[in-house]
């Protein structure tokens, strides 16, 4: 399964970068989101994966009695997911405003700071 | 989107989802859950209600501007961090605990208040974003 | 002593708030600051001259070895007295010179800052704090040179001066760090004890190069001298104070201070003699071709600075005594000359030597000051300049096989300096007063008293050299590491060779003054040689560098996002790929520990692949959003399967909200551009898939390495014991790393505020997107 997951991560990265290379702003954002998903999965995979052993201490114990999955990557990813929501929301609204102001979605037409004609 | 079924469903769903989100928040220290997830659930409940009944109705229901939840939550989280410094001269963010356990919540401590702060901030942030976008769309 | 240093800064800070207050008649009160410091330092003379060294230590950043250690020995005391004494006169002079100027408060603020920094520089025993003060003097000098910030010339000169002295500062920092690492300490006092070890070390030559670079740029030595004449664009009090009496001597101070640590070697002496010798002669010759009074003085200042470096290079008892005396002599007469130049400029509006004449008739006290200062600079007995010049000849005559050459060089320089002094101090006052200057009158006493005080001091010390001999000069030579006090300062040595040389100097100099007339034509002639002057070379280099940077920036910062992304990806792929395939660290996949693949996992994967492909290929925005949502939910399922319930819940909620967000915004967003460019697609495809493959390889390679779970285990073991929680992920978030989480929710809040203001604020009234 690890190999499959690694393939998936590679695919998400490739797809994310491919969309970022496009000239459309909307595609750029979707690319960033895919890339973020890939990064989360990568961290998750590198913390080693295991089934059926969440990092929750059993009811009647004070410490773990059996094997448990690594809680640290999970904490990292949880924050990353929430933060990325904030980032996406801001980015998408920014794109919307940019489109209203400069009337184009083409990144190539935005590489000047001069006022729109 | 404003079908009768959805509208009726959302009327009953909202309190149910809110209670559930609080439950998720409170049990977070012992079982999966916590402020982030709880806050997101509560936000989704309100967004659903807004889809079904219109933004104005939801806002009327909320009474307060969701944006005000952000500073409240931040202040709560910060206070729970500073409390140990002020009260018993421990370092910033040390845990303070109520001696006896409480049902559902388990041990009551400053960490819970921190989580409640997170809960409020997440609701505030999400609703502010979604509401202001749907108003300007 | 810390208070003494800080006083200048406090004074500046005070002016920020109380600037209005000081602009009027009360301006002269600000001179009380340097005066009180001057008296404070005077009170140390008895202790210092009896051989004591006063130390005060304050810890600042002890972990970096950065402490505020202050040492007051003979050398520091001499400089402190100059800084505060000349400072007092300049502060008072300024009150009248810039009377009613709009930015008088700002000017005093810079001066106060400079005074504090300069005192800190000469009192620091810690090399690092010394560097900080060194930089502060450069910065305050920059502000003062550019004080007339509406004039392009001023701004250019200020930038040039900052560029030169600032790069010297870099060298000093590098040198200080290198020296500190060799010596194992940043305390200068402790370094003296390890002088032998430092000189033996391999880094010695580099330390020397760096320190020389710093000293030569600051003290305007050839070929870095050219910023100083430009710095004369500053108001005259600044030229007097910074660019003649104190700041430019910081380099000299550095060399003197480090003579006991780094000095004594051939390379030290030869370099200093060569550079100092070239500078003093080169600059002295230049004075012949200047018609601007300040230009003449600037070049003669450079010449004296060269002479001081030259004397430090000679390094003998006589030479160091001569250097100490010359620092005093020069401060006295050069400050006088600058101040009277300021008066002339202020009253007549001209600094052109060819047109100024006969001013003694309208400003007698100024003429007296000028006359005295000129004679002192000429080294005429009984002025203190004479004693200084004597000592110089004594030391050059002492140099064995080179003595003839060095002595001739010193005599030639002194002749030219005499000429410069006469041009600045005597010429404007003699001859017939031109008609246009007949209305000129004596300025406020605040302006003419300071130069007169300095000039009179010059003759008093000359007649009674004992005043400064034991109290100032001997302690300086002591602190430079030679036995001081052996060389007694005397006006009259009897008839000997040195006296003869002095007579020759005076006679030839006087002849030169009477027969060589400065003229605009000569100034123009010499400027034809400018193209090989160091200044033009460096300016050309600067321009070339600018052009180069512009082109370079144009190539890299071309404004196309995809080029940036492509560059980053290709560099990453290249570097990682190199270490994978060519670096030779290939790996064998060890699949024993990998988990089984079950049927429903395969289904999830296939769904994800299809969804990703759909997102990439879709021509509809809604389709892409749906595909993205499916990818998110699939990841959520993966989290469920692989024991991450918290993540699954969060991912589910966020994914839902993201899709809602996109659906809400989509109507306001543009349609996809329909650009069919197969070439670009292939290029992008190659870039993207190469990154994908590299990431794939990295993840497998990392999985092959043993994993270090120390941190995770700590959290897991202590989650209940310390934090009374059983959901470790949540405990990490709200307890162990609570401060990080707090920052995170703060960032979220900022994002929400950003969204809100982007949507609700309309800064531009004319913009009305909703029609």
């Amino acid at each position: 399964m690890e190999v499959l997951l690694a393939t998936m991560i590679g695919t998400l990265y490739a797809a994310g970068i491919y969309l970022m290379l496009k000239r459309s702003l909307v595609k750029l954002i979707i690319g960033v989101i895919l890339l973020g998903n890939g990064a989360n999965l990568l961290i998750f995979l590198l913390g080693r994966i295991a089934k059926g052993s969440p990092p929750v201490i059993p009811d009647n114990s004070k410490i773990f009695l059996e094997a448990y999955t690594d809680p640290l990557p999970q904490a990292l990813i949880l924050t990353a997911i929430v933060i990325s929501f904030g980032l996406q929301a801001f980015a998408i609204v920014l794109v919307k405003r940019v489109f209203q102001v400069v009337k184009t979605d083409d990144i190539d037409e935005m590489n000047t700071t001069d006022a729109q004609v | 989107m404003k079908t009768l079924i959805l509208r009726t469903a959302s009327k009953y769903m909202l309190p149910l989802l809110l209670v559930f989100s609080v439950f998720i928040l409170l049990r977070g220290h012992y079982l999966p859950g916590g402020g982030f997830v709880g806050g997101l659930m509560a936000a989704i409940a309100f967004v659903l209600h807004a889809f079904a009944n219109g933004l104005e109705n939801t806002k009327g229901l909320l009474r307060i501007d969701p944006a005000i939840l952000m500073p409240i939550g931040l202040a709560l989280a910060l206070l729970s961090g500073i409390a140990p410094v002020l009260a018993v001269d421990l370092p910033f963010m040390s845990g303070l605990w109520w001696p006896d356990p409480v049902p559902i919540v388990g041990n009551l401590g400053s960490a819970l208040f921190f989580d409640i702060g997170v809960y409020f901030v997440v609701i505030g942030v999400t609703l502010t974003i979604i509401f202001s976008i749907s108003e300007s769309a | 002593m810390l208070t003494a240093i800080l006083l200048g800064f406090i004074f500046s800070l005070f002016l920020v708030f109380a600037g209005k207050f000081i602009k009027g008649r009360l301006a002269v009160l600000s001179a009380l600051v340097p005066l009180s410091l001057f008296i404070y330092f005077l009170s140390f003379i008895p202790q210092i001259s009896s051989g004591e060294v006063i130390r005060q230590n304050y810890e600042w950043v002890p972990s970096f070895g950065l402490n505020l250690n202050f040492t007051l020995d003979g050398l520091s005391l001499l400089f402190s007295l100059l800084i505060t004494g000349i400072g007092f006169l300049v502060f008072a002079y300024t009150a009248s010179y810039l009377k009613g100027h709009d930015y008088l408060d700002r000017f005093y603020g810079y001066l106060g800052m400079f005074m504090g920094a300069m005192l800190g520089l000469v009192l620091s025993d810690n090399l690092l704090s010394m560097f900080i003060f060194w930089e502060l003097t450069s910065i305050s000098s920059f502000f003062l040179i550019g004080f007339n910030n509406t004039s392009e010339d001023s701004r250019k000169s200020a930038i040039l001066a900052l560029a030169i002295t600032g790069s010297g500062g870099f060298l000093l920092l590098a040198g200080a760090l290198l020296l500190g690492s060799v010596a194992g300490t940043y305390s200068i006092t402790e370094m003296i004890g390890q002088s032998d070890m430092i000189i033996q070390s391999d880094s010695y030559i580099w330390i020397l190069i760096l320190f020389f670079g710093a000293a030569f740029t600051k003290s305007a030595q050839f070929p870095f001298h050219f910023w100083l004449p430009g710095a004369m664009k500053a108001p005259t009090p600044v030229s007097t104070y910074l660019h003649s009496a104190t700041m430019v001597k910081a380099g000299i101070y550095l060399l003197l201070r480090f003579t006991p640590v780094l000095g004594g070697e051939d390379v030290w002496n030869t370099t200093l003699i060569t550079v100092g010798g070239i500078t003093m002669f080169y600059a002295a010759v230049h004075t012949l071709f200047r018609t601007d009074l300040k230009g003449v003085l600037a070049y003669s200042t450079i010449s004296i600075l060269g002479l001081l470096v030259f004397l430090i290079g000679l390094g003998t008892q006589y030479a160091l005594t001569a250097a100490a005396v010359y620092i005093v002599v020069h401060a006295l007469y050069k400050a006088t000359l600058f101040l009277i130049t300021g008066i002339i400029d202020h009253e007549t509006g001209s600094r052109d030597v060819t047109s100024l004449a006969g001013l003694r008739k309208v400003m007698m006290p100024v003429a007296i000051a000028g006359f005295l200062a000129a004679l002192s600079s000429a080294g005429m007995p009984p002025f203190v300049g004479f004693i200084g010049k004597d000592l110089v000849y004594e030391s050059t005559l002492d140099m064995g096989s080179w003595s003839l050459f060095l002595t001739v060089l010193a005599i030639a320089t002194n002749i030219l300096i005499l000429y410069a002094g006469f041009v600045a101090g005597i010429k404007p006052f003699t001859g017939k007063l031109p008609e246009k200057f007949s209305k000129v009158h004596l300025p406020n006493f605040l302006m003419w008293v300071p130069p007169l005080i300095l000039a009179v001091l010059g003759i008093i010390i000359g007649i009674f050299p004992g005043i400064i001999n034991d109290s100032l000069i001997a302690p300086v030579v002591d602190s430079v590491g030679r036995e001081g006090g052996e060389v007694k300062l005397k006006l009259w040595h009897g008839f000997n060779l040195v006296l003869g040389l002095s007579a020759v100097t005076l006679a030839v100099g006087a002849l030169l003054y009477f027969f060589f007339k400065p003229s605009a034509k000569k100034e123009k002639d010499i400027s034809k040689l400018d193209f090989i002057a160091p200044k033009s070379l460096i300016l050309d280099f600067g321009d070339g560098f600018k052009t180069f940077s512009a082109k370079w920036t144009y190539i890299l910062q071309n404004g196309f996002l995809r080029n940036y992304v492509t560059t980053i990806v290709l560099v990453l792929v290249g570097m990682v790929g190199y270490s994978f395939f060519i670096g030779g660290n290939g790996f064998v996949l060890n699949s024993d520990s990998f988990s089984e693949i079950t049927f429903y996992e395969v289904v999830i994967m296939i769904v994800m692949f299809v969804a990703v492909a759909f997102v990439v290929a879709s021509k509809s925005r809604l389709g892409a959003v749906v595909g993205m949502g499916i990818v998110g939910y699939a990841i959520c399922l993966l989290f469920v399967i692989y024991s991450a319930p918290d993540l699954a819940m969060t991912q589910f909620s966020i994914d839902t909200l993201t899709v809602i967000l996109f659906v809400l915004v989509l109507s306001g967003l543009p349609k996809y551009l329909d650009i069919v460019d197969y070439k670009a697609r292939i290029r992008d495809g190659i870039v993207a898939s190469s990154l994908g493959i590299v990431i794939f390889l990295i993840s497998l390679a990392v999985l092959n390495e043993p994993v270090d779970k120390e941190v995770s285990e700590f959290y897991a073991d202590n989650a209940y014991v310390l934090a009374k929680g059983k959901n470790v992920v949540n405990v990490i978030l709200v307890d162990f790393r609570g401060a990080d989480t707090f920052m995170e929710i703060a960032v979220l809040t900022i994002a929400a505020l950003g969204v809100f203001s982007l949507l609700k604020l309309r800064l531009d009234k004319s913009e009305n997107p909703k029609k």
Side-chain angles (χ1 to χ4, degrees), chain B residues 97-118:
Chain B
W97 296 95
W98 196 264
D100 304 312
V102 179
I104 307 176
V105 182
N107 286 306
L108 194 61
S110 58
L112 180 67
F113 288 97
F114 186 83
D115 225 5
I116 296 174
V118 173

Side-chain angles (χ1 to χ4, degrees), chain C residues 194-231:
Chain C
Q194 306 180 16
S195 172
D196 288 340
M197 191 264 281
I198 294 167
I199 290 174
Q200 297 298 318
S201 81
D202 294 337
S203 316
Y204 175 67
I205 189 72
W206 292 106
I207 296 173
L208 268 197
I209 292 173
L210 293 166
F211 270 76
F212 281 166
F216 292 166
T217 47
K218 193 82 163 183
S219 285
Q221 297 299 297
F222 185 88
F224 308 111
H225 62 279
F226 50 86
W227 69 266
L228 192 55

Side-chain angles (χ1 to χ4, degrees), chain C residues 115-166:
Chain C
M115 189 177 68
M118 194 69 206
L119 279 177
L121 169 58
V122 298
L123 291 173
S124 285
D125 186 48
N126 184 294
L127 196 43
L128 292 179
S129 57
M130 182 175 167
F131 160 76
I132 293 171
F133 288 120
W134 177 284
E135 290 291 77
L136 276 174
T137 61
S138 295
I139 292 166
S140 32
S141 147
F142 166 76
F143 283 123
L144 286 166
I145 296 172
F147 184 66
N148 293 321
N149 55 16
T150 48
S151 133
E152 197 192 344
D153 254 7
S154 285
R155 294 199 304 268
K156 268 191 179 164
S157 304
I159 290 171
L160 189 67
L162 186 69
I164 300 294
T165 52

Side-chain angles (χ1 to χ4, degrees), chain C residues 233-245:
Chain C
K233 294 284 183 305
T236 307
V238 177
S239 311
T240 315
Y241 193 26
L242 273 72
H243 303 126
S244 167

Side-chain angles (χ1 to χ4, degrees), chain C residues 69-300:
Chain C
N69 299 343
F70 298 114
T71 302
L72 189 67
D73 60 2
L75 184 59
S76 306
L77 183 65
L78 174 70
F79 273 91
S80 304
L81 287 173
L82 281 182
I83 294 161
T84 51
I86 307 262
F88 162 59
L89 298 173
V90 166
F91 271 56
Y93 180 90
T94 304
S96 173
Y97 185 81
L98 286 179
K99 192 173 181 177
H101 194 285
D102 279 349
Y103 297 125
L104 184 59
D105 51 341
R106 211 181 274 184
F107 189 80
Y108 272 118
Y110 297 145
L111 277 186
M113 187 169 101
F114 167 75
M115 189 177 68
M118 194 69 206
L119 279 177
L121 169 58
V122 298
L123 291 173
S124 285
D125 186 48
N126 184 294
L127 196 43
L128 292 179
S129 57
M130 182 175 167
F131 160 76
I132 293 171
F133 288 120
W134 177 284
E135 290 291 77
L136 276 174
T137 61
S138 295
I139 292 166
S140 32
S141 147
F142 166 76
F143 283 123
L144 286 166
I145 296 172
F147 184 66
N148 293 321
N149 55 16
T150 48
S151 133
E152 197 192 344
D153 254 7
S154 285
R155 294 199 304 268
K156 268 191 179 164
S157 304
I159 290 171
L160 189 67
L162 186 69
I164 300 294
T165 52
S167 42
F170 278 130
L171 299 181
L172 180 63
L173 178 61
L177 293 175
L178 194 57
L179 182 55
S181 70
V182 171
T185 171
Y186 286 107
S187 157
I188 299 169
T189 317
E190 288 173 32
M191 282 174 190
I192 293 176
Q194 306 180 16
S195 172
D196 288 340
M197 191 264 281
I198 294 167
I199 290 174
Q200 297 298 318
S201 81
D202 294 337
S203 316
Y204 175 67
I205 189 72
W206 292 106
I207 296 173
L208 268 197
I209 292 173
L210 293 166
F211 270 76
F212 281 166
F216 292 166
T217 47
K218 193 82 163 183
S219 285
Q221 297 299 297
F222 185 88
F224 308 111
H225 62 279
F226 50 86
W227 69 266
L228 192 55
M232 295 299 157
K233 294 284 183 305
T236 307
V238 177
S239 311
T240 315
Y241 193 26
L242 273 72
H243 303 126
S244 167
T246 57
M247 188 188 90
V248 289
K249 297 225 178 77
I252 307 294
Y253 172 79
L254 185 75
L255 293 176
L256 282 171
R257 181 52 84 205
F258 281 90
T259 298
V261 180
L262 302 172
E265 293 293 290
D266 275 350
V267 51
W268 167 276
N269 293 337
T270 323
T271 316
L272 291 182
I273 292 174
T274 317
V275 173
I278 292 175
T279 308
M280 69 186 193
F281 187 68
Y282 172 88
V285 171
H286 257 279
T287 59
L288 291 175
F289 300 98
R290 302 291 135 182
T291 55
D292 178 2
L293 273 178
K294 270 182 133 179
V296 174
L297 291 176
Y299 276 102
S300 81

Side-chain angles (χ1 to χ4, degrees), chain B residues 28-31 33 97 114 135, chain C residues 646 723-724 726-727 730 738 760:
Chain B
H29 222 50
Y30 296 90
L31 291 164
W97 296 95
F114 186 83
E135 270 168 16
Chain C
D646 285 291
K724 308 201 184 204
K726 292 196 167 175
N727 177 5
N730 185 268
K760 304 272 168 162

Side-chain angles (χ1 to χ4, degrees), chain C residues 254-382:
Chain C
L254 185 75
L255 293 176
L256 282 171
R257 181 52 84 205
F258 281 90
T259 298
V261 180
L262 302 172
E265 293 293 290
D266 275 350
V267 51
W268 167 276
N269 293 337
T270 323
T271 316
L272 291 182
I273 292 174
T274 317
V275 173
I278 292 175
T279 308
M280 69 186 193
F281 187 68
Y282 172 88
V285 171
H286 257 279
T287 59
L288 291 175
F289 300 98
R290 302 291 135 182
T291 55
D292 178 2
L293 273 178
K294 270 182 133 179
V296 174
L297 291 176
Y299 276 102
S300 81
T301 302
I302 297 174
S303 176
I304 294 286
L305 291 170
L307 177 66
L308 287 170
V309 170
F310 175 79
L311 288 170
I312 298 170
L314 295 179
T316 58
Q317 190 111 23
Y318 264 111
L320 291 174
T321 313
V325 172
Y326 244 96
I327 291 171
V328 179
V329 171
H330 178 244
L332 290 178
Y333 80 74
K334 193 54 68 65
T336 312
L337 292 177
F338 267 110
L339 291 176
I340 64 170
T341 303
I343 295 175
I344 293 170
D345 192 12
H346 196 258
E347 299 304 320
T348 67
S350 165
R351 293 198 309 245
D352 185 357
V353 263
T354 53
S355 70
L356 291 165
L359 289 172
R360 71 178 184 286
K361 288 175 186 138
V362 287
M363 37 174 84
M364 198 57 196
V366 184
I368 295 171
F371 189 67
L372 295 177
L375 291 182
S376 185
S377 94
M380 189 83 82

